[in-house]
Each structure stands twice: as structure tokens, then as C-alpha cells.
């Protein structure tokens, strides 16, 4: 019979473990409510050892936000296969998976609310770091959506549509977290419809947008989300 020996983690392994533990705790409660003692206990190490790897709670919080931001940005990566409406619906499914799993952490990331010790203050550098992470997620989403549209040099109206839609997805998710009063699947479909609606309104003012939209809609199946929106609008008009 042999007895198991706990392997001592290297510096980077321990840092990554602590980031994962902190992110898990921040995902369940507001980061302001999570203490270093809780993080140390969950990681199975002492409080002083946490400070050996991170100078303070803010630095650990920022590292956890970085991992969360990278994960969230990756949710927008989607194979360029099939109609656009179905792709966007899959993206929204993964996006809301993240929101569902990391509610308080998602809120903290998008609202830029850094965790601070009791009675502490938030440094401008922390606010700047948080804002930069938020912007990186938005930019990653923007680039991904343009790639699905097959556009590398977007006209002003298309940039407005895509960036407005990304902001709408953020605000929708934050509102949904406050009580989850609307079924999640309905919101995912609605956001895909919102993209088509925003693009359609823009196309009514701009022929370049119109040509892009006609190309996209041409590839949409009769049972896809974009066709579903058209049917719902026709029902309202009848």
C-alpha cells in the first residue's frame, strides 16, 4: 500500500490556482464580500501565503478579472459555418452561459466595481485596468462579428450597428441578472433579432448596408432566427 503525497505547486501553478479559487468565489458573491481569509481557506493555504503570491486583494481581483475577461471574449469565437443567424444564436447561448455561471463577477466586470478592503479606496489605476479589460472584451466581440459578416473595413453605419448591439447585449444581461424575470432562451433569441433589426434600420438609410444585409439574408433558411423575426413583424402588421 502506498500513501499519496501532496505535490508542491510551483509559483505559477499556485498563482493560477488562487486566481481560479478567487474567480469561483467572486462568481457566487460580490467581490467586496469575499475576504482573503476565504480565498486562502478555499485554496487550502494560509493567509500569509496568499500575500506571498499577490500583494493584496486588489491585485488578485484584477488577475481574476483578466481571466474572466479572456473567457468572456472567447465566447464570441464561432466557426464560420452555416447562416449568420444560427451562429449569433450559438454565441448568445455561450455568452449567457458565462453570465449565468458568473453572475456577480460579470456584474463587477461590466460595472467596473473593483473589490476593496473594508474602509479602503479604489485607486485610479485599478479603475483604468478594469475599464481596459471591459474594452478588450468589447473589441474582441466587435472583431468577431465583423469577421462573420466578411467585412474588414467597416463603414461607419456598420460599426455603429455592431457596437450598439454589443452594448445592448451587455445591458440586457445585467438587467436579466436582477431577478431573471424573462426566460433566458427568449432573451438569446431576442438579441439575435435585435441585431437584425438594428442592421435593417441602418440599411434603410444606406445602400452599402442594404447590399450587406441582402447578402446575409440570402443565406438565411426559412426556419432560422432572422426569418422568425420577419414572421413576427408581419403578424404585428396584419
Amino acid at each position: 500500500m502506498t500513501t499519496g503525497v501532496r505535490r508542491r505547486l510551483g509559483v505559477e501553478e499556485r498563482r493560477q490556482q488562487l486566481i481560479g479559487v478567487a474567480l469561483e468565489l467572486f462568481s457566487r458573491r460580490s467581490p467586496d464580500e469575499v475576504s482573503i481569509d476565504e480565498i486562502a481557506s478555499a485554496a487550502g493555504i494560509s493567509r500569509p501565503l496568499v500575500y506571498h503570491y499577490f500583494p493584496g486583494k486588489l491585485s488578485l481581483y484584477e488577475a481574476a478579472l483578466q481571466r474572466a475577461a479572456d473567457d468572456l471574449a472567447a465566447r464570441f469565437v464561432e466557426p464560420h459555418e452555416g447562416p449568420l443567424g444560427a451562429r449569433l444564436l450559438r454565441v448568445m447561448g455561450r455568452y449567457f452561459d458565462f453570465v449565468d455561471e458568473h453572475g456577480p463577477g460579470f456584474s463587477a466586470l461590466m460595472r467596473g466595481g473593483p473589490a476593496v478592503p473594508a474602509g479602503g479606496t479604489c485607486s485610479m489605476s485599478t479603475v483604468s485596468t478594469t475599464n481596459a479589460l471591459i474594452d478588450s472584451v468589447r473589441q474582441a466581440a466587435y472583431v468577431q462579428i465583423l469577421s462573420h459578416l466578411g467585412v474588414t473595413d467597416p463603414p461607419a453605419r456598420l460599426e455603429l450597428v455592431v457596437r450598439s448591439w454589443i452594448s445592448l447585449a451587455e445591458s440586457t444581461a445585467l438587467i436579466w441578472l436582477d431577478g431573471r424575470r424573462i426566460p433566458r432562451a427568449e432573451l438569446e433569441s431576442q438579441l439575435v433579432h435585435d441585431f437584425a433589426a438594428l442592421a435593417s434600420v441602418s440599411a434603410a438609410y444606406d445602400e452599402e448596408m442594404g447590399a450587406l444585409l441582402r447578402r446575409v439574408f440570402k443565406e438565411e433558411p426559412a426556419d432560422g432566427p432572422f426569418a422568425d423575426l420577419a414572421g413576427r413583424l408581419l403578424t404585428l402588421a396584419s
Side-chain angles (χ1 to χ4, degrees), residues 11-25:
V11 173
E12 187 56 29
E13 286 182 297
R14 179 65 76 185
R15 280 178 55 85
Q16 293 304 317
Q17 181 214 20
L18 286 170
I19 291 170
V21 167
L23 184 58
E24 176 64 24
L25 291 172

Side-chain angles (χ1 to χ4, degrees), residues 76-201:
F76 286 88
V77 178
E78 170 70 24
H80 291 199
E81 300 172 359
L84 179 64
R87 294 184 225 168
L88 291 181
L89 193 57
R90 289 192 292 270
V91 167
M92 285 296 95
R94 290 195 298 273
Y95 183 79
F96 271 86
D97 281 344
F98 181 94
V99 174
D100 210 0
E101 295 164 8
H102 303 284
F106 175 82
S107 295
L109 175 62
M110 289 306 167
R111 291 184 171 129
V116 295
T121 59
C122 170
S123 69
M124 290 303 296
S125 63
T126 300
V127 173
S128 178
T129 298
T130 304
N131 289 339
L133 288 174
I134 296 169
D135 287 342
S136 72
V137 172
R138 290 170 179 158
Q139 183 63 20
Y142 174 70
V143 170
Q144 283 296 319
I145 299 304
L146 288 185
S147 72
H148 285 287
L149 293 170
V151 177
T152 55
D153 186 19
R157 289 186 189 275
L158 179 57
E159 180 174 0
L160 178 62
V161 165
V162 176
R163 293 197 185 278
S164 295
W165 182 70
I166 292 168
S167 295
L168 178 61
E170 291 175 11
S171 58
T172 298
L174 287 171
I175 293 170
W176 177 74
L177 281 171
D178 186 16
R180 309 187 184 209
R181 293 169 291 173
I182 300 175
R184 172 184 150 177
E186 289 184 15
L187 282 184
E188 292 170 10
S189 295
Q190 182 177 315
L191 281 166
V192 176
H193 291 168
D194 287 334
F195 182 86
L198 286 168
S200 297
V201 171

